[in-house]
Amino acid sequence: MPRLEKTNGRETKRPKLDWKFVQRFCSIQKILFPSWTSQNTLMFATLLCITLTEQLIIYQVGVLPSQFYKVLADKDYTGFKNLVGLAAVLILLNSTLKSCDQYICSQMYVSWRQTLTESLHAAYFQGRVYYTLNVLREDVDNPDQRISQDAERLCKQMSTMASRLIVSPFTLTYYTYHCFHSTGWIGPVSIFGYFVIGTIANKILMGPIVATLFEQEKLEGDFRWQQSPFILKNPINSLSFITNAFVCIYLINGFTQLIDMSTTLSDVAGYTHRIGELREVMDDILRKQCDYDPASGEGYNFDSDFNVHAGPADTAFILDRLSYKSPYSDQLLVQDLSLRISQGTHLLVVGNTGTGKTSLLRVLNRLWEADSGFVQMTTCFGPRGILFLPQKPYLTDGTLREQVIYPLKDIYHASGSVDDERILQFLELAGVSSLLKRTGGLDEKVDWNWYDVLSPGEMQRLCFARLFYLQPKYAVLDEATSALTEEAEAQLYRACKQFGMTLVSLGHRSSLEKYHDVQLKLCGEGRWELAKLKGGSGSLNLREGSM
């Protein structure tokens, strides 16, 4: 499998209204409208019905002036009162429908943003996509901004133009038909020609000459204003002209709204390209992962307890002639390493800085791809398999209990006295029972950041309390006691071995040797040495000696 390379440069392409935009926009719509019965689809259909009804009412309001001229000319007092009542009802209905229109658009914005953000998050945190995208790839900038800010703005812009956009085909068709019957072919052709030319000019000049849009609006306002003097001069004989003028003007208004949306459409195109590009890159990363199944289209679930890799039950990793290097360098860190990490045999990895100790864990953890050779993980991640403790601990924003039980919060059973006793015992064993007083209890929410309040040593101790609570078969410790004294380190390591954990440790202290059976020394330039430690009870596996 090819290793993902970090790009040297980032090509910046100006988003365009091209076929790529259409493809990406349609792929996003499939996320927002997954089925005909989904909530978003039903809201969209409701909005369509409301906007069509609103346009029918607007048409009735538009032809009211001609009817008012007629009853005024005939001095029909009863007809005048009826028209006033009808106008009041139509205006009230129109106001109500506009409010419903805005409300549904707001609801669609919230629902669209939630659906799109959840979809992007699911892909972002699937497998190693998050790590690869942020560390090993440079061709997509600011993925977190694309997921949060760009997705929000895209949904906002689409909700803003939704009601106008979905009703435009209906209103343009309807008023074109009426305009043709009122004025003949010259009316629709003139209006269509005018706006085709206006659209092309707008497409060309929108970017550098924003003022052109305002000039166009001014010209259209002047066009409508020119009708007023003629109507006032001929109030009785121009009743049919009033209706015809309304049809023509509203057709012009329909095209005007489309051109007004050009700026919004440009924003939508930009956000669509950014989000679409992010989705394409995440899909590409997932397909290239070694745990991706092209038949089912699914990746390996890192949180699953299912043993997807067949192998000996007492083995965590099997390495066969493994060679690896940094994604940023062509120099091999380790060459042809063969090793079996088995239960009960504690392994200590040592070496100078830059020899590839932490890089080995990245390869085992499948964050980096091997340059050659074979790596097989025969146990799962999680409490029943293997857990990694980095030098800088990961802490959540939750309560003290949530710090200890992480990552089991979502499947954690109701708190009980038995489990409380276990947590308290492990906090005491890790030497951080004083946190109970500082937090006010296991379930008291805190208003401060754990990283700001706890010292590096306290954070490492708290993570050991988490390790004691989860009690995995294998614990990989990457200098997890570097901020602690040797006495505290000894207490924690003895506790891990008492709980039956098999330890894989990275460190520089010679005091760690007494807690391990086998030492892997990375010598640099691809060389390594594997030896049994004095007093160790484990055995070497697959290979013993040096390379």
Side-chain angles (χ1 to χ4, degrees):
M1 173 183 153
R3 178 174 60 85
L4 294 173
E5 292 289 342
K6 206 172 175 72
T7 58
N8 294 328
R10 182 182 299 133
E11 293 185 3
T12 302
K13 294 184 179 181
R14 184 178 180 181
K16 300 179 180 179
L17 293 173
D18 52 9
W19 179 244
K20 191 66 174 178
F21 159 72
V22 175
Q23 291 178 318
R24 288 172 172 173
F25 186 78
C26 291
S27 67
I28 293 176
Q29 300 313 303
K30 292 179 181 179
I31 298 175
L32 301 181
F33 302 98
S35 67
W36 290 101
T37 57
S38 65
Q39 178 183 354
N40 291 340
T41 305
L42 295 178
M43 284 195 297
F44 192 82
T46 303
L47 179 64
L48 176 60
C49 295
I50 289 178
T51 51
L52 289 177
T53 306
E54 185 180 346
Q55 291 303 314
L56 292 176
I57 294 177
I58 290 176
Y59 176 78
Q60 295 299 324
V61 172
V63 298
L64 277 179
S66 62
Q67 300 177 24
F68 269 110
Y69 278 119
K70 186 176 184 304
V71 296
L72 289 174
D74 296 340
K75 298 182 180 181
D76 184 358
Y77 181 68
T78 304
F80 178 78
K81 289 194 300 182
N82 292 337
L83 281 179
V84 171
L86 177 60
V89 172
L90 292 177
I91 293 173
L92 180 62
L93 287 176
N94 189 38
S95 300
T96 303
L97 290 176
K98 282 187 178 293
S99 299
C100 294
D101 184 334
Q102 294 177 2
Y103 175 76
I104 294 177
C105 287
S106 299
Q107 289 294 108
M108 288 175 59
Y109 156 69
V110 174
S111 182
W112 283 348
R113 185 182 181 187
Q114 178 181 357
T115 303
L116 182 58
T117 302
E118 288 177 351
S119 174
L120 293 174
H121 271 161
Y124 192 49
F125 292 110
Q126 184 174 4
R128 303 186 306 276
V129 174
Y130 167 82
Y131 179 86
T132 304
L133 198 59
N134 285 277
V135 178
L136 303 181
R137 299 280 291 257
E138 274 191 345
D139 49 342
V140 174
D141 63 282
N142 303 313
D144 53 343
Q145 178 186 355
R146 298 186 186 217
I147 293 175
S148 57
Q149 181 173 304
D150 292 348
E152 184 272 334
R153 290 182 176 177
L154 173 63
C155 296
K156 188 68 174 178
Q157 297 284 26
M158 288 197 304
S159 66
T160 301
M161 62 188 298
S163 60
R164 290 182 293 169
L165 190 61
I166 63 176
V167 80
S168 292
F170 300 96
T171 56
L172 293 180
T173 302
Y174 179 79
Y175 287 106
T176 299
Y177 172 79
H178 277 277
C179 184
F180 175 77
H181 277 272
S182 300
T183 65
W185 62 269
I186 190 66
V189 170
S190 299
I191 295 174
F192 270 79
Y194 172 71
F195 280 98
V196 166
I197 296 174
T199 301
I200 295 175
N202 185 66
K203 168 80 173 174
I204 298 174
L205 302 176
M206 177 59 69
I209 311 178
V210 180
T212 304
L213 180 62
F214 294 95
E215 181 65 18
Q216 177 182 333
E217 289 295 323
K218 178 180 179 296
L219 292 175
E220 309 232 2
D222 293 342
F223 179 79
R224 289 190 291 267
W225 178 253
Q226 293 300 321
Q227 312 306 314
S228 300
F230 185 78
I231 295 175
L232 293 176
K233 294 175 183 176
N234 303 275
I236 304 300
N237 300 324
S238 307
L239 299 182
S240 60
F241 175 80
I242 295 174
T243 302
N244 297 340
F246 169 75
V247 171
C248 295
I249 291 174
Y250 206 83
L251 180 59
I252 294 174
N253 179 69
F255 281 105
T256 302
Q257 290 187 9
L258 289 180
I259 291 186
D260 287 345
M261 287 190 293
S262 59
T263 302
T264 303
L265 187 60
S266 298
D267 294 339
V268 168
Y271 298 135
T272 298
H273 278 297
R274 286 178 62 81
I275 295 174
E277 182 185 37
L278 175 64
R279 294 183 66 247
E280 292 166 3
V281 172
M282 291 192 296
D283 290 341
D284 178 67
I285 292 173
L286 185 60
R287 283 193 297 268
K288 291 181 178 179
Q289 288 180 358
C290 59
D291 48 14
Y292 177 76
D293 182 5
S296 64
E298 296 179 353
Y300 173 69
N301 182 3
F302 277 61
D303 299 323
S304 172
D305 287 338
F306 182 67
N307 190 359
V308 295
H309 301 289
D314 62 343
T315 301
F317 294 100
I318 298 176
L319 285 62
D320 185 18
R321 300 188 66 83
L322 171 67
S323 299
Y324 61 88
K325 56 187 177 184
S326 169
Y328 318 115
S329 173
D330 293 329
Q331 183 178 0
L332 284 177
L333 295 172
V334 171
Q335 184 176 3
D336 294 337
L337 173 62
S338 295
L339 177 68
R340 183 191 299 266
I341 301 177
S342 302
Q343 191 169 3
T345 301
H346 307 286
L347 174 67
L348 175 63
V349 182
V350 298
N352 295 329
T353 301
T355 55
K357 300 188 300 299
T358 302
S359 300
L360 174 61
L361 298 189
R362 295 190 181 109
V363 174
L364 295 180
N365 204 11
R366 300 183 297 176
L367 295 176
W368 289 3
E369 298 301 325
D371 188 72
S372 63
F374 175 76
V375 181
Q376 181 182 14
M377 188 179 74
T378 59
T379 189
C380 60
F381 288 100
R384 300 179 185 178
I386 184 169
L387 285 179
F388 288 77
L389 258 67
Q391 182 177 5
K392 182 180 180 180
Y394 174 76
L395 303 177
T396 73
D397 294 329
T399 63
L400 180 58
R401 181 191 299 275
E402 292 171 350
Q403 300 293 348
V404 176
I405 68 175
Y406 178 84
L408 303 182
K409 178 181 177 181
D410 293 337
I411 60 175
Y412 185 69
H413 59 274
S415 60
S417 58
V418 176
D419 197 67
D420 288 351
E421 292 177 2
R422 291 183 66 240
I423 294 178
L424 296 176
Q425 174 189 352
F426 297 143
L427 289 173
E428 179 70 29
L429 185 59
V432 284
S433 58
S434 60
L435 292 179
L436 286 168
K437 293 183 179 179
R438 295 165 63 180
T439 59
L442 291 176
D443 299 308
E444 292 294 327
K445 294 190 177 297
V446 296
D447 56 358
W448 32 260
N449 190 312
W450 289 87
Y451 289 103
D452 296 335
V453 174
L454 301 187
S455 66
E458 288 177 321
M459 287 189 284
Q460 290 187 341
R461 286 178 180 269
L462 183 56
C463 284
F464 267 95
R466 178 187 299 166
L467 186 67
F468 298 156
Y469 178 84
L470 299 174
Q471 294 185 17
K473 290 182 181 179
Y474 300 89
V476 181
L477 312 177
D478 184 6
E479 299 192 40
T481 58
S482 59
L484 302 175
T485 63
E486 292 188 4
E487 292 76 13
E489 176 184 82
Q491 179 184 2
L492 296 175
Y493 266 86
R494 283 195 296 266
C496 289
K497 301 183 74 170
Q498 289 174 1
F499 287 125
M501 303 179 202
T502 298
L503 304 177
V504 178
S505 301
L506 275 66
H508 296 280
R509 291 179 178 174
S510 59
S511 58
L512 291 174
E513 296 181 1
K514 66 182 75 170
Y515 311 112
H516 299 83
D517 306 312
V518 178
Q519 176 176 282
L520 172 64
K521 183 177 181 180
L522 304 183
C523 307
E525 299 181 353
R527 297 179 295 110
W528 53 273
E529 297 176 357
L530 187 65
K532 184 176 181 180
L533 292 172
K534 184 177 180 181
S537 58
S539 58
L540 292 175
N541 293 283
L542 290 186
R543 186 186 295 263
E544 181 173 5
S546 62
M547 172 67 189

